[in-house]
Amino acid sequence: MDQSKIDRINTLYHKSKSVGLSEEEKAEQAALRKEYMDAIRGSMRANLNSISIREADGSITDLGKKYGGVNERNS
């Protein structure tokens, strides 16, 4: 998500607190918030899938291959 969309989310938030939003602006705000949350979830999933741990025996377990990626969940 680019910075201009984040700025728009913030603008709509501040406007909603001061004067209120039209129905079109409410719909735009909801769509932008959904897009933002999807981007955050995707980033978090990618970060979690890139974690590897070294076991006590020296082997490395790739947690992304073990737990992530295969079973993507929609939130």
Side-chain angles (χ1 to χ4, degrees):
M1 172 168 265
D2 61 18
Q3 187 61 43
S4 64
K5 289 183 179 182
I6 294 171
D7 292 341
R8 182 65 179 156
I9 290 170
N10 291 327
T11 299
L12 289 170
Y13 169 77
H14 291 296
K15 184 177 179 186
S16 73
K17 293 299 178 188
S18 62
V19 296
L21 299 176
S22 68
E23 291 304 314
E24 293 82 20
E25 288 170 327
K26 288 178 185 178
E28 178 187 8
Q29 183 182 43
L32 287 169
R33 283 180 173 174
K34 181 183 182 325
E35 183 179 344
Y36 178 77
M37 291 305 298
D38 289 344
I40 294 295
R41 286 184 187 105
S43 176
M44 182 64 74
R45 169 95 31 222
N47 285 330
L48 292 173
N49 284 341
S50 68
I51 295 173
S52 297
I53 58 171
R54 183 178 304 269
E55 303 290 348
D57 65 0
S59 65
I60 295 178
T61 301
D62 183 337
L63 296 180
K65 288 181 183 174
K66 186 173 182 179
Y67 297 110
V70 176
N71 188 10
E72 293 287 330
R73 293 183 197 143
N74 292 330
S75 299

